[in-house]
mmCIF file of all heavy atoms in Angstrom:
data_model
loop_
_atom_site.group_PDB
_atom_site.id
_atom_site.type_symbol
_atom_site.label_atom_id
_atom_site.label_comp_id
_atom_site.label_asym_id
_atom_site.label_seq_id
_atom_site.Cartn_x
_atom_site.Cartn_y
_atom_site.Cartn_z
ATOM 1 N N ILE A 27 -13.895 -71.352 34.595
ATOM 2 C CA ILE A 27 -14.677 -72.298 33.801
ATOM 3 C C ILE A 27 -16.133 -72.240 34.248
ATOM 4 O O ILE A 27 -16.425 -71.971 35.421
ATOM 5 C CB ILE A 27 -14.111 -73.736 33.929
ATOM 6 C CG1 ILE A 27 -14.782 -74.674 32.928
ATOM 7 C CG2 ILE A 27 -14.207 -74.239 35.344
ATOM 8 C CD1 ILE A 27 -14.095 -76.012 32.771
ATOM 9 N N HIS A 28 -17.017 -72.468 33.328
ATOM 10 C CA HIS A 28 -18.448 -72.487 33.625
ATOM 11 C C HIS A 28 -18.809 -73.829 34.260
ATOM 12 O O HIS A 28 -18.243 -74.867 33.926
ATOM 13 C CB HIS A 28 -19.244 -72.268 32.336
ATOM 14 C CG HIS A 28 -20.663 -71.898 32.588
ATOM 15 N ND1 HIS A 28 -21.660 -72.834 32.671
ATOM 16 C CD2 HIS A 28 -21.244 -70.700 32.809
ATOM 17 C CE1 HIS A 28 -22.803 -72.227 32.913
ATOM 18 N NE2 HIS A 28 -22.578 -70.928 32.998
ATOM 19 N N GLY A 29 -19.738 -73.810 35.185
ATOM 20 C CA GLY A 29 -20.152 -75.009 35.900
ATOM 21 C C GLY A 29 -20.642 -76.112 34.980
ATOM 22 O O GLY A 29 -20.392 -77.296 35.224
ATOM 23 N N GLN A 30 -21.322 -75.732 33.909
ATOM 24 C CA GLN A 30 -21.818 -76.737 32.964
ATOM 25 C C GLN A 30 -20.657 -77.452 32.287
ATOM 26 O O GLN A 30 -20.699 -78.667 32.091
ATOM 27 C CB GLN A 30 -22.714 -76.080 31.920
ATOM 28 C CG GLN A 30 -23.317 -77.068 30.948
ATOM 29 C CD GLN A 30 -24.268 -76.410 29.970
ATOM 30 O OE1 GLN A 30 -24.605 -75.239 30.101
ATOM 31 N NE2 GLN A 30 -24.696 -77.165 28.983
ATOM 32 N N GLN A 31 -19.583 -76.726 31.967
ATOM 33 C CA GLN A 31 -18.412 -77.351 31.346
ATOM 34 C C GLN A 31 -17.754 -78.329 32.321
ATOM 35 O O GLN A 31 -17.304 -79.397 31.918
ATOM 36 C CB GLN A 31 -17.406 -76.293 30.917
ATOM 37 C CG GLN A 31 -17.853 -75.478 29.729
ATOM 38 C CD GLN A 31 -16.871 -74.371 29.432
ATOM 39 O OE1 GLN A 31 -16.508 -73.596 30.308
ATOM 40 N NE2 GLN A 31 -16.439 -74.302 28.182
ATOM 41 N N LEU A 32 -17.689 -77.945 33.599
ATOM 42 C CA LEU A 32 -17.130 -78.847 34.616
ATOM 43 C C LEU A 32 -17.928 -80.140 34.680
ATOM 44 O O LEU A 32 -17.367 -81.237 34.706
ATOM 45 C CB LEU A 32 -17.126 -78.183 35.994
ATOM 46 C CG LEU A 32 -15.945 -77.301 36.343
ATOM 47 C CD1 LEU A 32 -16.162 -76.643 37.697
ATOM 48 C CD2 LEU A 32 -14.658 -78.086 36.336
ATOM 49 N N GLN A 33 -19.244 -80.014 34.705
ATOM 50 C CA GLN A 33 -20.099 -81.190 34.789
ATOM 51 C C GLN A 33 -19.991 -82.048 33.535
ATOM 52 O O GLN A 33 -20.013 -83.278 33.613
ATOM 53 C CB GLN A 33 -21.539 -80.781 35.042
ATOM 54 C CG GLN A 33 -21.733 -80.229 36.440
ATOM 55 C CD GLN A 33 -23.152 -79.743 36.693
ATOM 56 O OE1 GLN A 33 -23.937 -79.573 35.757
ATOM 57 N NE2 GLN A 33 -23.473 -79.505 37.952
ATOM 58 N N GLU A 34 -19.852 -81.420 32.368
ATOM 59 C CA GLU A 34 -19.703 -82.180 31.127
ATOM 60 C C GLU A 34 -18.407 -82.994 31.124
ATOM 61 O O GLU A 34 -18.329 -84.057 30.520
ATOM 62 C CB GLU A 34 -19.723 -81.240 29.920
ATOM 63 C CG GLU A 34 -21.101 -80.693 29.619
ATOM 64 C CD GLU A 34 -21.093 -79.613 28.552
ATOM 65 O OE1 GLU A 34 -20.003 -79.251 28.039
ATOM 66 O OE2 GLU A 34 -22.189 -79.109 28.237
ATOM 67 N N LYS A 35 -17.379 -82.482 31.810
ATOM 68 C CA LYS A 35 -16.114 -83.197 31.912
ATOM 69 C C LYS A 35 -16.167 -84.300 32.966
ATOM 70 O O LYS A 35 -15.214 -85.053 33.123
ATOM 71 C CB LYS A 35 -14.981 -82.229 32.252
ATOM 72 C CG LYS A 35 -14.657 -81.270 31.132
ATOM 73 C CD LYS A 35 -13.512 -80.364 31.523
ATOM 74 C CE LYS A 35 -13.138 -79.480 30.354
ATOM 75 N NZ LYS A 35 -11.816 -78.882 30.531
ATOM 76 N N GLY A 36 -17.270 -84.354 33.730
ATOM 77 C CA GLY A 36 -17.442 -85.408 34.725
ATOM 78 C C GLY A 36 -17.229 -84.973 36.156
ATOM 79 O O GLY A 36 -17.203 -85.814 37.053
ATOM 80 N N TYR A 37 -17.069 -83.677 36.400
ATOM 81 C CA TYR A 37 -16.858 -83.179 37.762
ATOM 82 C C TYR A 37 -18.153 -83.311 38.568
ATOM 83 O O TYR A 37 -19.223 -82.948 38.100
ATOM 84 C CB TYR A 37 -16.415 -81.712 37.720
ATOM 85 C CG TYR A 37 -15.978 -81.189 39.054
ATOM 86 C CD1 TYR A 37 -14.680 -81.364 39.488
ATOM 87 C CD2 TYR A 37 -16.866 -80.523 39.888
ATOM 88 C CE1 TYR A 37 -14.263 -80.890 40.717
ATOM 89 C CE2 TYR A 37 -16.466 -80.051 41.120
ATOM 90 C CZ TYR A 37 -15.166 -80.234 41.527
ATOM 91 O OH TYR A 37 -14.763 -79.775 42.753
ATOM 92 N N LEU A 38 -18.040 -83.849 39.780
ATOM 93 C CA LEU A 38 -19.192 -84.012 40.670
ATOM 94 C C LEU A 38 -19.070 -83.017 41.821
ATOM 95 O O LEU A 38 -18.195 -83.152 42.675
ATOM 96 C CB LEU A 38 -19.258 -85.448 41.200
ATOM 97 C CG LEU A 38 -19.419 -86.528 40.145
ATOM 98 C CD1 LEU A 38 -19.241 -87.909 40.754
ATOM 99 C CD2 LEU A 38 -20.771 -86.406 39.466
ATOM 100 N N MET A 39 -19.924 -82.012 41.825
ATOM 101 C CA MET A 39 -19.838 -80.911 42.790
ATOM 102 C C MET A 39 -19.951 -81.361 44.250
ATOM 103 O O MET A 39 -19.398 -80.715 45.131
ATOM 104 C CB MET A 39 -20.929 -79.871 42.519
ATOM 105 C CG MET A 39 -20.730 -79.106 41.259
ATOM 106 S SD MET A 39 -19.339 -78.014 41.392
ATOM 107 C CE MET A 39 -19.380 -77.238 39.811
ATOM 108 N N LYS A 40 -20.652 -82.440 44.517
ATOM 109 C CA LYS A 40 -20.891 -82.808 45.912
ATOM 110 C C LYS A 40 -19.687 -83.479 46.574
ATOM 111 O O LYS A 40 -19.695 -83.701 47.774
ATOM 112 C CB LYS A 40 -22.137 -83.675 46.045
ATOM 113 C CG LYS A 40 -22.037 -85.046 45.439
ATOM 114 C CD LYS A 40 -23.342 -85.796 45.658
ATOM 115 C CE LYS A 40 -23.277 -87.196 45.115
ATOM 116 N NZ LYS A 40 -24.490 -87.934 45.421
ATOM 117 N N TYR A 41 -18.654 -83.804 45.795
ATOM 118 C CA TYR A 41 -17.488 -84.475 46.365
ATOM 119 C C TYR A 41 -16.278 -83.544 46.392
ATOM 120 O O TYR A 41 -15.860 -83.027 45.355
ATOM 121 C CB TYR A 41 -17.142 -85.734 45.568
ATOM 122 C CG TYR A 41 -18.196 -86.802 45.665
ATOM 123 C CD1 TYR A 41 -19.017 -87.094 44.599
ATOM 124 C CD2 TYR A 41 -18.377 -87.501 46.844
ATOM 125 C CE1 TYR A 41 -19.990 -88.070 44.688
ATOM 126 C CE2 TYR A 41 -19.353 -88.482 46.957
ATOM 127 C CZ TYR A 41 -20.151 -88.752 45.873
ATOM 128 O OH TYR A 41 -21.115 -89.716 45.978
ATOM 129 N N HIS A 42 -15.731 -83.334 47.579
ATOM 130 C CA HIS A 42 -14.496 -82.576 47.754
ATOM 131 C C HIS A 42 -13.820 -83.051 49.038
ATOM 132 O O HIS A 42 -14.465 -83.596 49.924
ATOM 133 C CB HIS A 42 -14.754 -81.065 47.774
ATOM 134 C CG HIS A 42 -15.746 -80.628 48.797
ATOM 135 N ND1 HIS A 42 -17.106 -80.653 48.564
ATOM 136 C CD2 HIS A 42 -15.589 -80.168 50.052
ATOM 137 C CE1 HIS A 42 -17.729 -80.223 49.650
ATOM 138 N NE2 HIS A 42 -16.828 -79.925 50.562
ATOM 139 N N THR A 43 -12.511 -82.870 49.113
ATOM 140 C CA THR A 43 -11.759 -83.374 50.265
ATOM 141 C C THR A 43 -11.817 -82.430 51.451
ATOM 142 O O THR A 43 -11.844 -82.872 52.593
ATOM 143 C CB THR A 43 -10.289 -83.642 49.898
ATOM 144 O OG1 THR A 43 -9.714 -82.454 49.363
ATOM 145 C CG2 THR A 43 -10.175 -84.782 48.908
#
Side-chain angles (χ1 to χ4, degrees):
I27 189 167
H28 196 268
Q30 183 177 352
Q31 289 175 308
L32 275 176
Q33 290 177 346
E34 287 172 359
K35 291 181 176 197
Y37 189 86
L38 299 171
M39 291 290 181
K40 68 179 182 176
Y41 294 108
H42 55 275
T43 56

